[in-house]
Amino acid sequence: MNKMEISASSFSGLAARVSGEGAEAWEIHRLALERKDAGEDVLVLSIGEDSDATTPAHIVEAGVKSMNAGRHHYSEMEGTLALRTAIVDHHNALTGRAMTPQHCVVFAGAQNAIFACSLCLLEAGDEVVIVEPYYSTYPATFSAAGATVVKVSAPSENGFEPRLSDIEAAVSPSTRAIVLNSPNNPTGAIYSETLVKAVAELCRSRDIWLISDEVYADFVFHGRHISPSGFMGPEEKCIVASSLSKSHRMSGWRMGWVIGPLALTRRFSALALCLHYGLPPFVQDAAVVALTGPQDETVTMVKEYGERADLVVERLSGVPGLGVFAPNAGMFVMLEVSELTPDATVFAHALLEEAAISILPCGSFGDNVDHLLRMSLCTSQEKLHGACDAIEALCRRLGA
Ligand SMILES: Cc1ncc(COP(=O)(O)O)c(C=O)c1O
């Protein structure tokens, strides 16, 4: 060990639990960015972000106006009343519930909100059920407080929806929470009303928290998002975490929230005080405009993503050896290459080498998803056509 290096024992268990897992799956993305930075024309489809597209102008203007008006100071720990009102109005319209601003606390993005759930609900000895493939930060986030993560599969042959029987089987006397993420990243699946209602029932009957990550709730191009919270009363153990990152292209603004029972939001306010001491007021003012102002850009964007998804699915369906799964929401299409190679990483490296295109092997989204790849739709239809040509050519070569 380098003499200057500080030993691992100098850090908390939490610091160890939040680092590490699944990092190698992101190697392709790292390589792609490295080559792009070096001036190469690399098409980066390994991440869900369209860096050419910005937040709608009227929202940016609202943020600037707020800054120019002197909104530079501390603000309410749980978020401004205007913002929490706009958030619950949006939530109630989507779910038919009657939540009040007091049921809402804002956090710096859904990621921060979900981490707050982990800190306020879980501790060593608890189990938390998550569905695989999952959003890559889940294992670290939910084990941060010392809980054990129990994984349930959402198999491709079931449309990437978990089976209720598998969720029931994963629940033990130690289970403290079940996490659902529908619409799902990475799969683009929207869980059926039957499933979300049954999971809500299960949580109620077993006195378990239901944490519903709904960052893609407004990013649906086929079908309809059903929130499990719609089947839970305001004071039941149900939490919705969401944000404006996807629906309003506001990922850099770090604007998210939780909606849950008053007993929880009181504790979240106390945590917010220790964690961030309130979010920037000008970001909150802009978020009010995002939620209450014109939604045409969101509508147009989501429609465009639906068209891109349809394009990729149509182009790649029928390519020998390749599985392609049509998403109903979100920014990705899932591909399966097990007939061509046992390890999707091999496929991803070959695509990067041969065509300068990066798509992500799903290794960081679960233990049993090494045969899957996630292809981002965050580029033009023209570039997606080019990517489909390259993927088809590689499949034909590997299958020959
Ligand atoms: C499923 C899911 N949950 C949470 C997040 C975090 O979102 P935010 O940018 O609001 O922190 C993401 C971001 O990609 C996500 O895909």
Side-chain angles (χ1 to χ4, degrees):
M1 186 172 66
N2 180 333
K3 260 195 186 152
M4 298 303 288
E5 205 173 292
I6 301 173
S7 71
S9 62
S10 303
F11 297 95
S12 69
L14 185 150
R17 289 191 292 276
V18 295
S19 34
E21 195 178 311
E24 55 306 334
W26 289 94
E27 177 65 4
I28 288 286
H29 183 62
R30 194 192 61 75
L31 282 174
L33 292 186
E34 198 174 274
R35 287 167 64 160
K36 202 171 174 190
D37 285 349
E40 211 180 308
D41 187 14
V42 178
L43 180 57
V44 179
L45 299 180
S46 38
I47 194 166
E49 188 162 65
D50 187 348
S51 46
D52 294 337
T54 51
T55 304
H58 68 285
I59 302 173
V60 177
E61 276 159 26
V64 170
K65 198 172 151 204
S66 171
M67 285 197 92
N68 284 335
R71 300 263 295 143
H72 303 167
H73 307 107
Y74 291 131
S75 70
E76 298 89 322
M77 299 305 136
E78 60 278 7
T80 64
L81 183 60
L83 176 56
R84 287 179 296 126
T85 304
I87 292 169
V88 294
D89 283 353
H90 177 258
H91 172 82
N92 291 343
L94 203 71
T95 60
R97 301 176 94 200
M99 303 306 267
T100 68
Q102 289 67 40
H103 289 102
C104 175
V105 177
V106 302
F107 283 100
Q111 177 59 51
N112 193 212
I114 296 168
F115 198 81
C117 292
S118 179
L119 293 184
C120 277
L121 305 181
L122 306 171
E123 58 198 352
D126 291 339
E127 290 176 2
V128 52
V129 176
I130 66 171
V131 176
E132 169 180 323
Y134 42 72
Y135 178 52
S136 62
T137 68
Y138 279 1
T141 300
F142 291 111
S143 56
T148 303
V149 167
V150 177
K151 299 171 185 173
V152 168
S153 169
S156 56
E157 59 274 20
N158 200 40
F160 288 117
E161 177 166 295
R163 296 192 172 91
L164 179 63
S165 54
D166 291 337
I167 297 179
E168 284 170 339
V171 170
S172 82
S174 302
T175 306
R176 180 68 77 114
I178 296 176
V179 183
L180 291 186
N181 168 220
S182 171
N184 185 269
N185 175 11
T187 66
I190 299 177
Y191 298 164
S192 64
E193 178 167 350
T194 313
L195 180 81
V196 296
K197 198 171 175 183
V199 175
E201 280 300 331
L202 176 65
C203 288
R204 178 182 293 126
S205 67
R206 300 291 294 263
D207 196 25
I208 295 169
W209 285 97
L210 173 47
I211 302 172
S212 185
D213 175 350
E214 303 187 7
V215 297
Y216 286 98
D218 290 316
F219 219 108
V220 172
F221 34 79
H222 298 314
R224 193 164 71 88
H225 162 63
I226 311 270
S227 171
S229 67
F231 306 105
M232 302 284 251
E235 305 311 325
E236 289 196 274
K237 287 187 171 176
C238 177
I239 308 168
V240 173
S242 195
S243 76
L244 297 176
S245 291
K246 311 295 170 186
S247 55
H248 294 77
R249 291 200 216 100
M250 290 179 73
S251 55
W253 298 68
R254 312 310 301 133
M255 172 42 63
W257 59 82
V258 286
I259 295 173
L262 295 174
L264 175 82
T265 50
R266 273 201 304 276
R267 287 163 171 90
F268 272 169
S269 296
L271 182 69
L273 180 138
C274 302
L275 211 55
H276 54 65
Y277 210 80
L279 297 189
F282 46 88
V283 170
Q284 299 189 61
D285 293 346
V288 172
V289 171
L291 285 160
T292 58
Q295 303 296 312
D296 4 342
E297 289 200 47
T298 298
V299 172
T300 307
M301 175 183 67
V302 173
K303 186 168 167 283
E304 169 66 23
Y305 271 82
E307 286 166 9
R308 293 177 192 173
D310 292 349
L311 177 161
V312 169
V313 171
E314 198 185 307
R315 282 288 324 270
L316 295 181
S317 296
V319 171
L322 182 71
V324 50
F325 303 97
N328 286 323
M331 300 176 159
F332 307 101
V333 171
M334 296 288 275
L335 304 175
E336 179 177 350
V337 290
S338 48
E339 281 183 31
L340 303 167
T341 163
D343 183 357
T345 312
V346 171
F347 189 93
H349 275 288
L351 192 67
L352 185 60
E353 282 314 309
E354 290 177 19
I357 297 170
S358 66
I359 59 176
L360 199 72
C362 287
S364 67
F365 305 143
D367 300 331
N368 299 300
V369 284
D370 285 344
H371 56 302
L372 297 170
L373 292 144
R374 189 189 76 171
M375 175 178 176
S376 160
L377 298 167
C378 299
T379 192
S380 66
Q381 296 199 19
E382 191 192 342
K383 287 189 176 167
L384 286 173
H385 267 297
C388 290
D389 288 340
I391 290 169
E392 176 167 3
L394 179 60
C395 291
R396 293 194 186 279
R397 188 175 68 66
L398 290 174

